[in-house]
Amino acid sequence: MLGTVLYGPGDVRFEDREEPRIIEPTDAIIRLPATCVCGSDLWPYRGLQPLSGPTPMGHEYCGFVEEVGSAVRSVKPGQFVVGSFATSDNTCPHCQFGYHSSCMRREFMLRAQAPYLRVPLADGTLVPTPGIPSDDLVPSLLATSDVLGTGWFAADAANVKPGGTVAVVGDGAVGLLGVLSAKLMGAERIIVMSRHASRQKLALEFGATDIVTERGEDGVARIKELTKGVGADSVLECVGSQQAMMQAIQATRPGGSVGYVGVPHEMNLDGAQLFFTHVRLHGGPAPVRRYLPHLIELVLDGKINPGKVFDLELPLSQVAEAYKAMDERRAIKALLRP
Ligand SMILES: [Zn+2]
């Protein structure tokens, strides 16, 4: 089997890898009709996150169950399933509280940029769709696996409420789907910080009402101006940099909430500064599994089309070009067909 391996900054190879097989009785093997590159894959690709050696990449997935281990009960060969980047047993106390990405038996997924994938804890991790979805729904179902689930968590963690004012920091796939999530949760005003025409267009399509092109202090000032000097009720931080986090905190009104889902890189918060903002912070790796049944239903009912974030489609063999296109911001998100 050929799969994707990141060797170092800018060095993505599509090379021979061992075919996945059942190791634990709770495993499933799935065949992936499509896979994709995540914005978070760009951190190690850009050399901003160290690698311990050649790393098989990919953590967003949906597909057909090929084989299950002897202990798997709720998932059967032939079904179409969606999973998350974090495995979960769906039974431990953290899962019961809805924090599946902190499951006591959690493993972070890798190796999904390939034709086949082993998924541990199949019963708790995978959500089967009712029946086999048509192929045109695959991109949107794949989006629920991470980018939509993460955008949804950002909005949920930022306490988005009907009639509320929301600001979104970050115009990548997660930020854009954070806009979609906030819209579905009833936000009245959704301000997006973006400088890229194609991303602005999609943000407006997903429900954004205002675009702010300024960054840093100027961006915060612009959001304050748009909210009569008050700040937003809810701010979604979908980048993970110091600047993005400070923009998010400063754009939030006292008593408002920041939902942060960008994986932090060299981020340091000043305690005293935080103290006087009166802002709630909640975030982390999104517990996508909690939201999957609802998000899958929205896609299958045709109520949302989060697959629109894929603006580049390539054969999986051209995965290196997919990374390059996203790194150079020529693509929002690349879909890969094995
Ligand atoms: Zn658990």
Side-chain angles (χ1 to χ4, degrees):
M1 177 186 86
L2 294 168
T4 308
V5 181
L6 181 64
Y7 274 76
D11 186 2
V12 176
R13 301 185 201 174
F14 188 60
E15 62 177 26
D16 203 27
R17 271 180 22 202
E18 203 183 337
E19 194 126 337
R21 55 187 177 81
I22 301 285
I23 297 173
E24 300 292 334
T26 46
D27 290 349
I29 303 296
I30 63 174
R31 177 172 63 82
L32 311 177
T35 178
C36 56
V37 180
C38 184
S40 65
D41 294 335
L42 297 180
W43 289 106
Y45 180 80
R46 289 171 173 158
L48 298 171
Q49 187 178 301
L51 292 173
S52 51
T55 306
M57 299 295 285
H59 56 259
E60 298 165 88
Y61 58 94
C62 61
F64 302 92
V65 179
E66 291 275 311
E67 192 187 347
V68 296
S70 59
V72 175
R73 294 288 169 266
S74 64
V75 172
K76 292 175 177 57
Q79 279 182 323
F80 191 92
V81 292
V82 186
S84 145
F85 57 84
T87 66
S88 52
D89 58 12
N90 204 23
T91 55
C92 80
H94 300 326
C95 285
Q96 299 274 297
F97 280 114
Y99 284 80
H100 296 75
S101 41
S102 275
C103 176
M104 288 170 168
R105 297 171 70 192
R106 175 193 67 195
E107 287 176 43
F108 283 114
M109 293 295 290
L110 279 172
R111 307 171 183 274
Q113 287 160 8
Y116 293 92
L117 178 69
R118 178 178 78 92
V119 183
L121 300 175
D123 278 331
T125 302
L126 297 171
V127 178
T129 57
I132 301 295
S134 61
D135 191 58
D136 59 322
L137 290 175
V138 166
S140 282
L141 290 168
L142 181 58
T144 66
S145 164
D146 182 357
V147 279
L148 176 59
T150 297
W152 191 274
F153 174 57
D156 195 12
N159 203 25
V160 173
K161 291 274 185 274
T165 296
V166 175
V168 179
V169 181
D171 63 359
V174 170
L176 293 169
L177 292 173
V179 171
L180 177 80
S181 303
K183 176 73 181 171
L184 256 70
M185 291 176 190
E188 189 173 297
R189 189 126 190 235
I190 305 172
I191 305 164
V192 181
M193 305 188 85
S194 172
R195 287 180 164 179
H196 303 265
S198 61
R199 294 161 192 243
Q200 292 172 354
K201 185 167 168 278
L202 197 48
L204 293 169
E205 214 175 302
F206 283 154
T209 55
D210 303 81
I211 306 279
V212 168
T213 53
E214 294 88 345
R215 283 190 190 164
E217 297 288 326
D218 294 343
V220 171
R222 184 78 188 110
I223 289 173
K224 284 281 170 68
E225 202 181 302
L226 289 168
T227 55
K228 299 191 173 76
V230 177
D233 302 314
S234 304
V235 181
L236 284 54
E237 192 287 307
C238 307
V239 180
S241 70
Q242 176 82 18
Q243 188 193 41
M245 188 61 152
M246 289 320 295
Q247 270 173 207
I249 292 169
Q250 288 165 351
T252 309
R253 69 166 169 80
S257 304
V258 172
Y260 63 101
V261 295
V263 183
H265 286 79
E266 295 183 6
M267 184 191 292
N268 292 292
L269 301 180
D270 181 281
Q273 196 179 10
L274 202 53
F275 182 78
F276 286 102
T277 60
H278 260 149
V279 163
R280 289 186 180 86
L281 298 179
H282 182 38
V288 176
R289 174 65 183 81
R290 189 204 317 174
Y291 306 119
L292 273 180
H294 181 51
L295 299 179
I296 289 170
E297 194 182 311
L298 289 171
V299 168
L300 296 179
D301 289 350
K303 295 202 171 109
I304 55 172
N305 190 358
K308 280 187 178 169
V309 294
F310 294 108
D311 57 349
L312 175 67
E313 184 171 330
L314 293 170
L316 179 58
S317 56
Q318 291 177 35
V319 61
E321 167 55 20
Y323 274 78
K324 199 157 182 284
M326 284 177 63
D327 178 44
E328 292 169 1
R329 287 186 154 252
R330 283 184 279 121
I332 300 172
K333 193 169 176 70
L335 186 84
L336 298 160
R337 295 281 187 174

